[in-house]
Amino acid sequence: MNRGTRGKLKEISDKLSAILQDDSSEQVMVFTDDKVLMELCGQINLLLLDRQQMKANFRRQEQSSRKMLANISH
């Protein structure tokens, strides 16, 4: 593996770690001509999007549960 590819993989890894640590909705962006790395970033971004959608669904369900409990208790 050449240095350029290793550098890009490190860049992807660092960005992914920062996104997960900050719980942000950013995506991994790497500028490269390497089709394999571009595909990897695309797949990572799909996983991040799924993660965001699951979190949003969880929040909606949690809010619905709270409303239901509030209605039941009144």
Side-chain angles (χ1 to χ4, degrees):
M1 192 178 307
N2 65 29
R3 262 190 234 170
T5 302
R6 283 180 191 236
K8 294 295 182 182
L9 286 172
K10 177 72 171 137
E11 186 179 335
I12 292 168
S13 178
D14 291 345
K15 183 63 177 176
L16 184 56
S17 292
I19 289 169
L20 295 174
Q21 183 177 16
D22 297 340
D23 199 26
S24 75
S25 59
E26 294 180 71
Q27 292 188 335
V28 175
M29 299 284 291
V30 174
F31 299 101
T32 181
D33 292 333
D34 188 331
K35 292 182 191 266
V36 174
L37 288 178
M38 290 185 340
E39 178 68 24
L40 176 63
C41 287
Q43 295 298 321
I44 289 171
N45 287 332
L46 287 174
L47 288 172
L48 290 171
L49 182 61
D50 281 348
R51 180 177 178 261
Q52 290 170 7
Q53 290 172 344
M54 283 190 284
K55 285 173 29 181
N57 288 337
F58 176 77
R59 287 186 193 119
R60 277 193 294 275
Q61 290 174 353
E62 189 176 45
Q63 192 173 33
S64 293
S65 295
R66 285 185 187 148
K67 286 180 183 178
M68 181 182 69
L69 287 173
N71 288 336
I72 290 172
S73 64
H74 291 288

